[in-house]
Amino acid sequence: MRALLLPALLTLTAVPVAAQERPSPERLRADVTRLVGFGTRHTLSTTTDPKRGIGAARDWAAAEFTRIGKACGQCLTVERIARRFVGPRAPDGVVVENVLGVQRGTDPNRYVIVGAHIDSMAGDVMDSKADAPGANDDASGVALVLEAARILSKQRFEATIVYAVFSGEEQGLWGGTLLADTAKARGWQVDAMLNNDIVGNSIGQGGVAAGDRVRVFSEGVAKAESLIEAQQRRGDGSEDDGPSRALAKAVDHIAEALPGGLDVVVARRPDRFGRGGDHEPFLALGYPAVRFTVGAENWDRQHQYVRTENGRAYGDTVEGVDFDYLAKVTAINMATLARLAKAPAAPARVQAAGALSRDTTLAWAPVPGAVRYVVRWREQEARDWTGSQVVEGATKVVLTNKPVDDTFFGVAAVGRDGAESLVTFAGRAAIEAPAPRR
């Protein structure tokens, strides 16, 4: 069938995603306060005390997921997965357990994940006894995950949404490793993983005001790529267009459509300089994953014993969390989850051909559930897509007077309700021989 080209809106959002219940700052505050109330949630802390320690905190998170599932007619089920880890920060070993709320979609293979770590630490990573309130790092993220589950469980989606509460992040990203390994072992097609870690403060170190923005960290070059894939990427120039970077760019555009929201700063590295988070094990296995973190961190409120020295307050307490700001970060996560869970999967591969030509031909395999596709392009010096066309009834298109030497291309799949997948960058067609050098 001949392709039908139609003008496309340049926005990467979908109308059904934007209109939904807003997160509640009051519920977020209640959840963060409850988590702080466990005293410490250190990975090596007690698992038998019903009121203190990581065991009690995980039981509470599981009970919250159970309550959410009951409210939506058991649309959300609870799963607890565990594995023993040994490392420098747990030399005698420790059982790391993740608590999952699983909202099944109509497609049994596709998954989107939103997660945060429940464990906390004080000034010494090995001190499992002292109070470690961890209000922002990372009760804020856990509260976000629970609030997203409360609201999104009222809707139905094609992809399964996994709401993940990790343990063991401070000891070695072990909770993220456990779920990433589980996803691989079970054969999940993970379309996106959103990690939320330190997402609740709007005032950074030194009084820096950052309540208008949130950073989204993403890798451009895939950590899991093979040597052949690296060579292909180098030739295609797709360093800024890997799946995780495409996810970060989509988050940016989704946020732009939310009223009264935040500016998403697409941070072009996997995480903060020399640091890491629970999304990184997913990157290691080739899954698209990003990290949400506040626009400016306050290190006086991270990994500190609660104290006051020379009139200066230290410690990760509830007073350092801005719940209106946290609600806005939660809204961005929810809108991203909703769009991607409603959309088809992104095209597995898009091939571009057109060496020594003013025209470019794009081709891709059909995507299950897609009713149309959006072809996007930009000049090579641009970071974001600047033009687009809708393609109806075909998986191949010729774009006239758009030479591949001067233009980058990508394709997204669109579902029945208009929800759009991530954009897959167009690389060289396998059948096209290298052009002679000039």
Side-chain angles (χ1 to χ4, degrees):
M1 182 182 294
R2 183 171 64 89
L4 176 61
L5 299 182
L6 300 172
L9 294 176
L10 294 186
T11 179
L12 299 183
T13 60
V15 173
V17 173
Q20 59 187 359
E21 180 183 345
R22 293 186 178 184
S24 165
E26 291 74 23
R27 283 196 300 258
L28 293 165
R29 178 187 290 274
D31 287 346
V32 170
T33 302
R34 186 70 181 90
L35 286 163
V36 168
F38 291 107
T40 179
R41 305 185 306 277
H42 192 283
T43 298
L44 305 183
S45 64
T46 177
T47 59
T48 57
D49 190 316
K51 295 182 178 180
R52 181 179 177 87
I54 195 167
R58 290 189 298 227
D59 289 345
W60 174 81
E64 288 301 300
F65 281 138
T66 299
R67 186 176 294 108
I68 294 167
K70 184 177 180 181
C72 66
Q74 307 305 321
C75 74
L76 194 77
T77 58
V78 182
E79 183 174 359
R80 302 174 76 153
I81 59 175
R83 192 166 91 205
R84 187 173 183 82
F85 288 83
V86 178
R89 294 184 174 186
D92 297 326
V94 63
V95 175
V96 169
E97 182 184 68
N98 294 339
V99 181
L100 311 178
V102 182
Q103 184 177 350
R104 294 289 175 189
T106 57
D107 186 330
N109 299 315
R110 294 178 49 232
Y111 290 75
V112 292
I113 300 169
V114 60
H117 71 88
I118 198 170
D119 56 300
S120 63
M121 64 170 281
D124 181 352
V125 71
M126 300 303 294
D127 188 347
S128 63
K129 304 295 185 181
D131 282 350
N136 196 23
D137 185 13
D138 186 31
S140 65
V142 174
L144 179 156
V145 170
L146 291 171
E147 184 70 353
R150 291 187 188 103
I151 295 174
L152 294 181
S153 61
K154 299 173 184 178
Q155 304 179 43
R156 296 296 176 263
F157 300 97
E158 279 68 38
T160 293
I161 301 178
V162 177
Y163 306 94
V165 174
F166 301 119
S167 301
E169 193 269 352
E170 303 289 7
Q171 307 309 112
L173 309 182
W174 288 336
T177 298
L178 174 57
L179 185 56
D181 289 347
T182 299
K184 181 179 180 181
R186 295 182 182 181
W188 292 358
Q189 178 182 321
V190 179
D191 288 352
M193 187 275 175
L194 310 180
N195 180 32
N196 287 270
D197 195 350
I198 310 174
V199 288
N201 70 280
S202 59
I203 304 296
Q205 194 76 23
V208 174
D212 60 345
R213 61 190 182 275
V214 63
R215 292 175 292 172
V216 176
F217 292 87
S218 65
E219 66 175 15
V221 177
K223 183 176 182 179
E225 74 178 9
S226 66
L227 177 59
I228 292 176
E229 289 169 331
Q231 292 171 335
Q232 178 85 30
R233 171 187 51 74
R234 180 176 178 273
D236 293 343
S238 58
E239 292 86 351
D240 197 42
D241 291 276
S244 295
R245 186 60 48 75
L247 174 56
K249 291 178 181 180
V251 172
D252 187 15
H253 284 274
I254 289 168
E256 289 176 351
L258 298 177
L262 303 174
D263 177 31
V264 168
V265 177
V266 178
R268 285 172 161 79
R269 57 166 55 116
D271 207 318
R272 296 137 319 144
F273 193 71
R275 301 163 76 186
D278 278 316
H279 59 301
E280 296 204 55
F282 290 86
L283 297 177
L285 295 181
Y287 298 126
V290 298
R291 174 186 176 136
F292 285 76
T293 294
V294 294
E297 295 177 62
N298 185 338
W299 301 294
D300 287 355
R301 292 188 175 276
Q302 291 180 24
H303 302 172
Q304 298 279 356
Y305 288 104
V306 179
R307 67 197 192 280
T308 300
E309 292 182 358
N310 300 319
R312 186 168 172 174
Y314 294 86
D316 191 359
T317 58
V318 175
E319 291 75 19
V321 180
D322 180 336
F323 293 98
D324 289 330
Y325 175 86
L326 177 56
K328 293 178 180 180
V329 180
T330 304
I332 297 172
N333 273 262
M334 286 169 39
T336 302
L337 291 166
R339 191 190 108 181
L340 296 181
K342 288 181 178 180
R349 184 182 180 193
V350 179
Q351 296 183 335
L356 306 180
S357 173
R358 292 290 303 171
D359 303 335
T360 298
T361 300
L362 302 178
W364 58 95
V367 176
V371 297
R372 66 185 64 88
Y373 301 91
V374 177
V375 174
R376 300 192 179 275
W377 60 81
R378 70 177 188 268
E379 300 295 319
Q380 293 189 63
E381 64 181 7
R383 283 187 166 182
D384 205 355
W385 306 112
T386 57
S388 62
Q389 286 280 17
V390 171
V391 178
E392 300 269 12
T395 56
K396 184 176 182 179
V397 64
V398 178
L399 300 170
T400 59
N401 291 317
K402 296 192 184 305
V404 72
D405 283 346
D406 303 324
T407 315
F408 287 149
F409 300 92
V411 177
V414 182
R416 294 179 186 84
D417 65 355
E420 183 178 325
S421 76
L422 299 181
V423 177
T424 300
F425 185 82
R428 282 169 291 173
I431 60 173
E432 184 179 47
R437 294 184 179 180
R438 298 295 183 187

